[in-house]
Amino acid sequence: MQEKKSKIQDRHPMPEQPANVRRHNFLEVPLGYGEETAMAEATRCIQCKNPQCVQGCPVAVPIPQFIKAIAEGRFSEGIRTIWEKNALPAVCGRVCPQESQCEGQCILGKKGSPVAIGNLERFLADWERKKGDGSLPEKMAATGKRVAVVGSGPAGLTVAGDLVLKGHDVTLFEAFHKPGGVLVYGIPEFRLPKAIVESEVKTLEKLGVNLVCNTVVGRAVDVKELFEEGFDAVFVGVGAGLPSFMNIPGENLIGVYSANEYLTRANLMKAYDPAYDTPMVVGRNVAVVGGGNVAMDAARTALRMGAESVKIIYRRSREEMPARLEESHHAEEEGVEFMLLTNPLRFDGDERGRLTSVTCKRMELGEPDASGRRRPVPLDGSDFTMDCDLAIIAVGSGANPLLTSSEPEIALNRWGNIEADPENGKTSMRGVWAGGDIVTGAATVILAMGAGRKAATSMHDFLARGW
C-alpha cells in the first residue's frame, strides 16, 4: 500500500529537448505527454468535492472533469469540456503560470507535487489537433447583431470565440499581417509554436469569425466609424505594446533594442530563419535588462541567434524575480548567466554609434517598496564595465495609445490604460468594452482571457437587452 501511495505522489515529468541541443534551435522545448503518460498523470487527481484548482483558474475551466475524461481515455470528450470555458487550450497549456493558479491550489501540492494540469490541458489540445474528428462546438441561432473585436490577442480571441458561438456576427481586426497579438509577436517559437496559434485562429474562422488584418483601428478607422459602419458593439483588446526604457545614456545606440522590437523581429518576422530577410543585430556579448518572462524569452532567443555570451542584468535578487521558475530554469540550463543585484548606468558606443559596452552598479536590497518587493539600493564604488554589442531592454511596457488617443470618450487612467469595469469590461463609452493588458497593464494570457470572458458575457446581454 505504501508503494502505491508513493507512485500516486510522483508527478510525471514533461519530456524535453536536452539543453545542449535546444539552445541551437527554435523547436519547442517541452515535447508533450503521450497517451499513456497523460492517462497515468490524470489518475493522480483525487477528484476533490470542492476543487480548489477551478477556483484558481481565471476562466473557471472544469478541471476535474477533463482530467477524469483523460484518465478514462475519453480524450474527445475531455477537450470539449475545456472548450466550454477556454477557447485556447493549446496556448494556455503551454504559457499559463499554472504554478500560481490552478496547480498552486491543487491539494496534492500541499504534501507532494500537484497534478500537472497544464501538461494535461496541452495534451488534450494537441491530441485533438492531430487525431480529433475536427467537429466544432454548436452555435446558437444568428442574432443579426454585429460585433467588432479590436486586437487578436488572448482577450480578443476569447471575446470573438464566445460571441460567435452565441450567434453574433463577429469581425476581428488586427494591426499586424498575422493574427494572435502577443502570442505571435511576443512569445518565441520554442515556447509557443506559431502553428499552434494558427490552428486556434483557424477554428474561430471555421466558426464564422471574420478576420481583417493590416488594419490599425484608431488610424485607418476609428471606433465611431465602426458604429457608423453598422457594428452594434465594440471590444478593445489592443494590449500593452508600447516599449518602456530606462532613460539612461546610450539607449539610442545601434544595438540597443526594446524587447518588444527584438522579439517581434525574431518571432513574427522570423529573423531566425535565413529564408526571411529580416534585419537584426546578432550580438556576441548580449545583455538583457529585466527579470520577467519577456527578459527570459529575449535572452534565450539571443542564444539561439548565435550569441557567445548572454547575461540577464536584474537589479533585485532571485527571490524577487517575476519570471516563472520554469522559464528561469530553462534559461540557466541553456547557458544564460544571471547577474543579480546589478543595475545598468549607461551604454557606451564607438565613433559609428554602435554599442560596445555597458557600465553597471552593484545593488543591495533595502526596505520593501510599493510593489511589496525589497527596494534595490546602490552600493557606492561598485561601478564596473563589461563588453556588450547587443542590449535588450525588458523592463516592462505601456498601453498602446493608437486607438485610445483617437477616441476621447473612452476614459483612461494616469498610465494611459482604459478604465473598464473589472466585473464586465464596460468602458465610459456606450457600446464599448475593453479587457486584457490595455486595461490591467502587462499581465498573463489567462488573465486577459478571463477579462475577455466577462466582457463577452456582458456584451451578449447588451446585444439582447441594451446598455
Side-chain angles (χ1 to χ4, degrees), residues 283-305:
R284 293 178 60 192
N285 298 300
V286 181
V288 179
V289 184
N293 290 330
V294 174
M296 300 303 151
D297 287 344
R300 296 173 68 196
T301 297
L303 266 182
R304 287 160 171 79
M305 292 294 295

Side-chain angles (χ1 to χ4, degrees), residues 82 122 155 158 209 296 332 386 400 448:
I82 295 177
R122 168 188 165 153
T158 300
V209 173
M296 300 303 151
E332 285 191 295
M386 63 182 185
N400 187 326

Side-chain angles (χ1 to χ4, degrees), residues 30-360:
L31 302 177
Y33 282 164
E35 292 184 10
E36 184 177 335
T37 304
M39 293 176 71
E41 179 64 24
T43 61
R44 297 182 61 237
C45 178
I46 60 176
Q47 296 291 315
C48 301
K49 292 183 179 179
N50 181 26
Q52 298 299 304
C53 56
V54 177
Q55 296 183 30
C57 175
V59 294
V61 168
I63 294 168
Q65 289 92 319
F66 87 69
I67 290 181
K68 184 177 182 181
I70 294 174
E72 296 173 355
R74 296 179 287 108
F75 304 144
S76 181
E77 183 177 331
I79 188 62
R80 279 152 185 78
T81 299
I82 295 177
W83 280 345
E84 292 174 8
K85 295 290 186 177
N86 182 357
L88 306 173
V91 171
C92 291
R94 286 168 164 82
V95 302
C96 278
Q98 290 95 2
E99 66 277 6
S100 62
Q101 295 178 345
C102 54
E103 292 181 16
Q105 301 297 318
C106 177
I107 195 69
L108 293 186
K110 306 298 181 185
K111 295 183 178 180
S113 55
V115 175
I117 298 170
N119 294 349
L120 293 175
E121 181 178 37
R122 168 188 165 153
F123 163 76
L124 281 179
D126 290 354
W127 181 90
E128 173 65 23
R129 191 176 67 258
K130 296 172 184 175
K131 300 182 180 180
D133 60 13
S135 61
L136 299 171
E138 290 187 14
K139 292 172 57 177
M140 296 171 62
T143 63
K145 300 292 185 179
R146 298 181 66 203
V147 177
V149 177
V150 184
S152 65
L157 292 175
T158 300
V159 171
D162 281 10
L163 292 181
V164 77
L165 289 177
K166 295 182 186 301
H168 305 301
D169 181 358
V170 180
T171 298
L172 188 58
F173 292 93
E174 169 56 45
F176 282 132
H177 61 285
K178 284 189 177 181
V182 69
L183 303 176
V184 294
Y185 75 74
I187 302 177
E189 184 80 9
F190 53 82
R191 275 222 296 142
L192 178 62
K194 301 304 165 273
I196 300 295
V197 182
E198 290 173 8
S199 176
E200 304 278 37
V201 172
K202 283 180 180 177
T203 297
L204 294 181
E205 289 187 285
K206 289 177 183 176
L207 286 168
V209 173
N210 306 299
L211 181 61
V212 180
C213 291
N214 298 307
T215 301
V216 181
V217 176
R219 291 295 183 267
V221 60
D222 61 32
V223 173
K224 284 190 174 70
E225 287 173 323
L226 290 175
F227 286 118
E228 291 170 3
E229 291 177 10
F231 287 100
D232 301 290
V234 175
F235 176 81
V236 179
V238 293
L242 185 68
S244 295
F245 286 91
M246 297 178 293
N247 296 318
I248 62 175
E251 281 187 310
N252 61 337
L253 289 167
I254 298 169
V256 180
Y257 286 92
S258 70
N260 303 60
E261 180 183 356
Y262 183 80
L263 290 172
T264 298
R265 286 177 179 268
N267 298 327
L268 183 65
M269 301 171 71
K270 297 184 183 288
Y272 65 87
D273 189 338
Y276 290 77
D277 238 358
T278 301
M280 188 163 75
V281 172
V282 178
R284 293 178 60 192
N285 298 300
V286 181
V288 179
V289 184
N293 290 330
V294 174
M296 300 303 151
D297 287 344
R300 296 173 68 196
T301 297
L303 266 182
R304 287 160 171 79
M305 292 294 295
E308 296 177 6
S309 167
V310 179
K311 295 179 172 66
I312 290 277
I313 300 176
Y314 182 57
R315 62 183 184 153
R316 290 185 166 96
S317 73
R318 188 179 294 271
E319 287 67 35
E320 286 78 29
M321 188 174 282
R324 293 182 66 190
L325 290 177
E326 178 184 358
E327 301 309 321
S328 57
H329 170 69
H330 279 157
E332 285 191 295
E333 273 191 333
E334 292 166 9
V336 174
E337 180 184 345
F338 284 17
M339 299 185 66
L340 304 174
L341 292 169
T342 304
N343 200 42
L345 296 178
R346 71 175 186 272
F347 297 107
D348 295 303
D350 60 19
E351 65 281 358
R352 299 175 300 163
R354 295 185 178 276
L355 176 67
T356 57
S357 65
V358 56
T359 298
C360 303

